[in-house]
């Protein structure tokens, strides 16, 4: 409910205060310069309810980022189409006689096709988990060539969360200025950072009561007892930075995607999710979406409650000898699949059909 309410406030602000601006797509926008969106993950999973969200597509794209893949076919295997326009634009410019998008989708298993044709350039996943370090000891390594010098930024953040959770450098960036010319679309949400803080004993007790089927009367409720168990000691928050925000189509997708990622970091680091904050710049609605945005604002954000998320990852909860412990099914943040994300209680207004993204 909170996420939908805050999202509606932003839509209304753009309509009330926005300036008409031209842009590279040829479709004008109504735009404001800056907005901060702050959501409390304790008030339910922030999935917009005044239109139906394609959650498998959101999760699938996020998991695709975490593989480091830049192959459009890996998205098609997940039935995800949000990148089709940007990939096809890149492909079309590379050919004198390009096939149609539908024809290319029919050729995914055609071994006569040059494998490079499916590549989207070094987009998000490439930067998140395989940021290449220039090797100046040999000839310049062009994108797509072998280079065994790379940085897994996601793993670096995980290591800091485990070993130094107060580190002020827990950041991941997709804005690699060298690689941008090779991308089919420069990153819109270009970076994110994490922040953790210690929980009080009361907050830890509340977490146990909400998440583990344990009778606390048989457990010594002390900091020491909880510290020796898998009871979370910290809260983790995430702030993402976005240079360009398609508020009607893209932002609900971005909110949910980073909320899923925050839940994954929290589970892997044995923390609880706290705040999700969007630092948004050039926040706009395309002119061909304005009537739809106005219609969405007529839908009550309070009609449906926010859903809850269950993330498969725990097993073998043990409360023997007055202690609490649990082991993880997912040993790393890179092992999740779509079926591990279980949203309960998600109800929404219907979505509109044939709403196109500006490319």
């Amino acid at each position: 409910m909170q996420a939908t309410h805050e999202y509606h406030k932003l839509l209304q602000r753009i309509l009330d205060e926005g300036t008409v601006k031209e842009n590279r797509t040829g479709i004008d926008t109504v735009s404001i310069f800056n907005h901060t969106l702050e959501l409390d993950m304790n008030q339910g999973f922030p999935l917009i309810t005044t239109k139906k969200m394609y959650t498998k597509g959101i999760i699938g794209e996020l998991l695709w980022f975490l593989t480091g893949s830049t192959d459009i076919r890996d998205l098609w295997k997940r039935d995800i189409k949000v990148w089709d326009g940007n990939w096809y634009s890149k492909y079309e410019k590379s050919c004198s006689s390009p096939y149609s998008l539908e024809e290319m989708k029919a050729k995914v298993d055609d071994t006569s096709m040059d494998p490079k044709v499916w590549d989207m350039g070094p987009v998000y996943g490439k930067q998140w988990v395989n940021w290449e370090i220039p090797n100046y000891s040999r000839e310049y390594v062009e994108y797509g060539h072998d280079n065994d010098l790379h940085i897994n930024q996601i793993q670096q953040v995980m290591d800091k969360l485990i070993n130094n959770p107060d580190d002020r450098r827990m950041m991941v960036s997709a804005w690699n200025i060298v690689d941008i010319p090779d991308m089919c679309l420069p990153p819109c949400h270009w970076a994110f950072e994490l922040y953790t803080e210690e929980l009080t004993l009361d907050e830890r007790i509340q977490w146990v009561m909400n998440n583990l089927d344990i009778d606390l009367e048989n457990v010594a409720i002390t900091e020491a007892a909880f510290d020796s168990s898998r009871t979370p000691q910290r809260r983790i928050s995430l702030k993402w930075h976005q240079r360009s925000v398609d508020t009607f189509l893209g932002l609900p997708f971005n909110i949910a995607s980073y909320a899923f990622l925050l839940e994954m970091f929290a589970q892997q680091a044995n923390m609880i999710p706290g705040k999700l904050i969007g630092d948004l710049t050039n926040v706009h609605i395309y002119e061909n979406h304005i009537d739809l945005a106005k219609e969405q604002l007529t839908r009550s954000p309070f009609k449906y409650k926010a859903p809850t998320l269950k993330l498969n990852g725990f097993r073998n909860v043990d409360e023997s000898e007055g202690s609490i412990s649990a082991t993880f099914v997912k040993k790393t943040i890179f092992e999740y699949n779509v079926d591990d994300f279980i949203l309960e209680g998600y109800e929404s207004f219907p979505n509109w059909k044939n709403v196109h993204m500006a490319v």
Side-chain angles (χ1 to χ4, degrees), residues 57-71 74-75 78 80 83 122-131 150-158 161 171-174 189 192 194 238 256-268 311 330-338 340-341:
I58 299 169
I59 298 165
E61 184 201 50
L62 174 60
L63 298 181
W64 177 71
F65 290 161
L66 292 172
T67 69
S69 171
T70 61
D71 191 322
D74 291 336
L75 287 176
R78 300 172 186 264
I80 298 171
W83 281 89
V123 292
Y124 295 97
K126 171 70 174 175
Q127 307 304 332
W128 282 16
V129 304
N130 192 25
W131 181 295
H150 65 274
I151 298 170
N152 186 331
Q153 296 187 79
I154 299 295
Q155 188 58 57
Q156 282 190 341
V157 165
M158 279 305 316
L161 283 172
M171 300 179 66
V172 172
S173 175
H189 45 101
F192 67 87
L194 301 171
L238 183 152
S257 181
Y258 277 108
F260 285 125
L261 182 61
L262 175 55
E263 292 276 3
M264 295 165 73
F265 277 124
Q267 189 174 83
Q268 285 295 308
L311 184 59
K330 305 299 178 185
K331 295 181 180 179
T332 76
I333 198 169
F334 306 104
E335 295 181 24
Y336 293 87
N337 58 61
V338 172
D340 291 320
F341 299 79

Side-chain angles (χ1 to χ4, degrees), residues 25-37:
T25 70
I27 303 173
D28 289 351
T29 64
V30 177
S31 172
I32 59 174
F33 175 55
N34 175 69
H35 189 83
T36 299
L37 187 72

Side-chain angles (χ1 to χ4, degrees), residues 54 140 167:
Y54 176 40
Y140 176 73
D167 195 303

